[in-house]
Amino acid sequence: KQQYSKNIIISVPKVYDKMEDADMEKYFYILKSGCQSLLDINSVYGLPLYVFEPKEFKKDKYPVIIFYHGGGFVIGRASDICYQTFCARLADETGCIVVSVDYRLAPESKFPIPFEDSYLALLWVYHFGPNTIEIDPEKIFVMGDSAGGCIANMVCILARDRNGPKIHYQVLYYPCLADPSDPSISSHIKYKDGPVLTASILDFFGKCLQADSNSKYFFPLSNNTEFNDLPPATIINAAQDPLADHGLLLFKAYQKLKIPVRRTVYKSAVHGFIGSIDMKVDVTEEAFYEGVAIVKHELNNEYPTQSKPKKSKKKVKKK
């Protein structure tokens, strides 16, 4: 069942090969000026954005959460029922507009296409969103799970490096931020056979994406990417997950730089547990409402008032 309010298609380049940062901005401003006749129609791709409005939506300027779905950059769509449910509930509970980005997937669209699609979605929201979907461009959150958590974090880095829009806050659910084949990361070894996500699956995803393993814009924890001047973050991890320590390493990196950061580890959870959002599983509900709470707190120092499910045992670190 369709749960989004609007489906908007934006024009992005079909390929980003050898595009310099300045060329990306030039391309976008051609679109912004309305002079799309300057672009070869065969050189553009229609990128879907799904827009979710909160209950009792009225003409106003709303904070916006840009959401990037998971799936190892290979599977999953913004139109999947679990992500539609997550985003629709997120809009209702936070009072924000939620924009879910249906970025292109590997192996048909290899690195850096998913990341550049996602960054151009941020530019569209910032420049066009105020007059198109009633958003406040000064209150932009990014959020994502798994590969989408990686993208959300990377969009923050791209925005910093390209002098792009200011991002207010990032919420990262079990993000993939380091080379999954790195044996020095203990969770890679401990959970190489799962549950759910395994080393062989991670290897398959990586081969499909064919990422430049030396690029600072992929596997940032493995490539000495600088994290300074990034927005505050909440990191939510599943304990039984080969990617669990990615969150820990990012948490420590932010602490060292004195970037406000908090991290929660759900001990009973496995990778991808947000995907059960439509089944009302306790641990998923709690992690969902944690994301809601942090958004509302960052906006107006307010926490949700609705009742929460029974708490799972979890470990929390705060900064």
Side-chain angles (χ1 to χ4, degrees):
K1 180 182 177 181
Q2 173 183 317
Q3 299 187 51
Y4 54 87
S5 305
K6 298 176 182 176
N7 180 14
I8 296 173
I9 308 296
I10 66 172
S11 296
V12 300
K14 279 188 177 178
V15 295
Y16 297 97
D17 292 352
K18 300 180 181 179
M19 290 191 72
E20 299 294 333
D21 294 350
D23 292 332
M24 285 291 296
E25 298 297 331
K26 186 189 300 182
Y27 172 89
F28 182 77
Y29 284 111
I30 288 175
L31 297 183
K32 187 172 185 286
S33 69
C35 299
Q36 294 201 36
S37 59
L38 296 176
L39 299 171
D40 178 358
I41 192 63
N42 294 318
S43 71
V44 299
Y45 168 79
L47 178 70
L49 306 180
Y50 294 92
V51 181
F52 299 81
E53 298 169 350
K55 290 178 181 177
E56 301 178 1
F57 174 79
K58 58 184 179 181
K59 293 286 184 180
D60 202 347
K61 296 302 180 188
Y62 288 82
V64 59
I65 302 169
I66 305 177
F67 184 84
Y68 302 102
H69 68 81
F73 310 100
V74 176
I75 59 175
R77 303 300 309 219
S79 56
D80 289 349
I81 186 61
C82 63
Y83 289 119
Q84 283 209 44
T85 300
F86 185 94
C87 290
R89 289 182 59 188
L90 187 63
D92 288 342
E93 296 290 354
T94 61
C96 297
I97 297 286
V98 176
V99 178
S100 185
V101 182
D102 207 17
Y103 58 86
R104 282 173 283 177
L105 300 174
E108 292 81 7
S109 300
K110 304 183 189 305
F111 180 86
I113 289 176
F115 297 91
E116 296 288 12
D117 279 359
S118 299
Y119 180 69
L120 273 178
L122 166 69
L123 291 181
W124 186 92
V125 167
Y126 179 80
H127 290 289
F128 290 110
N131 295 324
T132 306
I133 55 173
E134 310 298 332
I135 66 99
D136 181 348
E138 303 303 317
K139 295 179 181 177
I140 297 176
F141 292 73
V142 293
M143 182 182 294
D145 76 309
S146 193
C150 174
I151 289 174
N153 182 250
M154 193 52 59
V155 164
C156 293
I157 294 171
L158 288 169
R160 177 200 64 190
D161 291 352
R162 297 175 178 180
N163 295 314
K166 181 180 178 181
I167 296 171
H168 188 72
Y169 201 91
Q170 49 184 323
V171 181
L172 312 175
Y173 286 90
Y174 38 86
C176 178
L177 300 168
D179 182 351
S181 65
D182 184 349
S184 70
I185 296 178
S186 61
S187 61
H188 290 172
I189 305 303
K190 185 174 182 179
Y191 296 107
K192 65 183 179 66
D193 296 320
V196 181
L197 187 64
T198 66
S200 60
I201 292 173
L202 287 167
D203 181 64
F204 170 76
F205 287 157
K207 288 177 179 176
C208 286
L209 190 60
Q210 288 189 359
D212 177 0
S213 61
N214 295 316
S215 171
K216 69 176 181 177
Y217 295 122
F218 196 69
F219 298 149
L221 289 170
S222 300
N223 289 303
N224 299 314
T225 301
E226 294 182 355
F227 293 112
N228 54 294
D229 301 320
L230 293 181
T234 287
I235 305 160
I236 297 174
N237 281 124
Q240 302 173 62
D241 182 358
L243 306 185
D245 287 349
H246 294 206
L248 176 62
L249 291 170
L250 187 67
F251 176 79
K252 289 181 176 179
Y254 277 29
Q255 275 195 318
K256 186 175 181 179
L257 292 167
K258 301 189 183 309
I259 298 172
V261 62
R262 64 192 305 279
R263 178 178 182 244
T264 306
V265 178
Y266 287 85
K267 292 184 177 180
S268 64
V270 299
H271 187 85
F273 70 103
I274 285 299
S276 60
I277 187 71
D278 53 336
M279 303 177 189
K280 298 292 184 74
V281 176
D282 279 359
V283 67
T284 301
E285 290 290 294
E286 187 175 356
F288 168 76
Y289 279 119
E290 181 178 0
V292 170
I294 199 65
V295 170
K296 297 193 78 169
H297 176 68
E298 289 300 315
L299 286 172
N300 48 29
N301 202 30
E302 174 190 350
Y303 284 94
T305 57
Q306 73 282 340
S307 60
K308 293 185 179 181
K310 181 180 178 181
K311 287 185 176 291
S312 61
K313 293 181 179 180
K314 67 181 181 182
K315 174 175 62 179
V316 181
K317 295 182 179 180
K318 297 183 180 179
K319 173 69 176 177

